[in-house]
Amino acid sequence: MDATGRPQSLLLLGGTSEIGLAVADAWAERSPGLRVVLAARPGERRDAAAARLEGRGCRVEVHDFDALDDGAHVRVVEKARAGGDVDVAVVAYGVLGDPELAWQDPEEAGRVARTNYTAPVLSGVALGAMVRAQGHGVVVALSSVAGERPRRSNFVYGSSKAGMDAFYTGLGEALRPIGGRVLVVRPGFVRSRMTAGLDAAPLAVGPEEVARAVVDGVAAGREQVWVPRPLRPVMSTLRHLPRPVFRRLPL
């Protein structure tokens, strides 16, 4: 971080994520010459993401990364650190999956669980080691309000996000005494590729709104942010509703 608290280096795990790229865009405006490490599967989307950020004046590094390769998490974090300390790392990958297939098909259930929970845990372990070695660093975990109280309509996804959220909340406590921080970000419905074709839920936002919340949250030293903010009291209410009432809601 520079003297004003702005990051000089950013690692995006899931480097083609629309939210992750929006975060990089937002910081590029505030930190000229920002070093951005894009970790993603090779392909046209990754190439386009790198070109987009280079066009904004970023110094871009690209590394191959498949979240479902257990060994890839440590490897890519070590490669990122080889170019200098990482100020902020964003865990930006995830899948929505097919909600009805996921609770009936072991393969789909496993894909959602591994991508949204197991893989982020492995990323978090690797990033935790990085923060310990550096003595500083912020980890941003893109969670979801779906993890607050999983709904019948997408409970496999919701359960995977609940686990991820709990892990990164705990990681923040573990890293805090040694100079690290974790920001858990809980967006509601985000208009993106992942939700294309779905009816937008109330209080829907775009990737840019999530990005602004991330940038502001890191600057303010927050540990959790809700996007948009009114979701916090809404979800608090839903979380405490009796189950017979909750199941009757059109969720």
Side-chain angles (χ1 to χ4, degrees):
M1 299 281 192
D2 66 12
T4 65
R6 293 175 300 190
Q8 300 301 293
S9 55
L10 172 67
L11 167 60
L12 290 183
L13 292 173
T16 60
S17 156
E18 290 173 270
I19 296 175
L21 289 173
V23 170
D25 285 340
W27 262 316
E29 294 178 2
R30 306 185 186 195
S31 302
L34 177 71
R35 173 186 172 231
V36 181
V37 181
L38 290 181
R41 291 189 293 265
E44 293 181 1
R45 283 173 52 190
R46 191 180 72 178
D47 294 343
R52 164 179 164 174
L53 293 173
E54 287 171 347
R56 291 185 174 273
C58 297
R59 296 178 291 115
V60 180
E61 301 171 23
V62 176
H63 296 296
D64 292 350
F65 174 66
D66 184 341
L68 297 183
D69 175 358
D70 289 354
H73 303 266
V74 170
R75 288 196 303 271
V76 78
V77 171
E78 289 179 345
K79 287 177 181 177
R81 276 208 71 212
D85 282 3
V86 174
D87 291 331
V88 178
V90 182
V91 181
Y93 56 83
V95 294
L96 184 59
D98 183 317
E100 285 302 297
L101 184 63
W103 71 270
Q104 301 176 75
D105 179 72
E107 185 173 344
E108 178 69 356
R111 183 178 76 94
V112 173
R114 287 193 300 272
T115 306
N116 293 346
Y117 176 67
T118 304
V121 167
L122 294 175
S123 289
V125 171
L127 293 170
M130 178 194 78
V131 171
R132 292 199 305 274
Q134 295 180 166
H136 71 94
V138 180
V139 176
V140 177
L142 296 180
S143 182
S144 170
V145 298
E148 276 291 287
R149 185 169 186 177
R151 302 169 294 156
R152 162 64 183 86
S153 59
N154 67 349
F155 65 90
V156 176
Y157 172 80
S159 66
S160 67
K161 284 296 187 178
M164 176 202 183
D165 195 295
F167 172 82
Y168 279 94
T169 298
L171 182 65
E173 295 302 314
L175 295 180
R176 193 163 55 88
I178 57 175
R181 287 195 287 123
V182 173
L183 172 63
V184 175
V185 183
R186 294 170 176 164
F189 189 101
V190 180
R191 295 182 292 269
S192 65
R193 281 191 305 267
M194 191 168 77
T195 58
L198 300 178
D199 293 333
L203 302 178
V205 296
E208 294 76 17
E209 291 164 274
V210 182
R212 284 195 296 272
V214 169
V215 170
D216 292 344
V218 170
R222 296 193 180 99
E223 297 175 334
Q224 295 175 348
V225 294
W226 300 73
V227 192
R229 286 185 181 181
L231 274 177
R232 182 170 189 173
V234 169
M235 293 307 300
S236 179
T237 300
L238 291 176
R239 188 169 64 247
H240 292 97
L241 283 178
R243 184 173 292 183
V245 176
F246 184 76
R247 72 165 54 103
R248 290 201 298 269
L249 297 178
L251 300 173

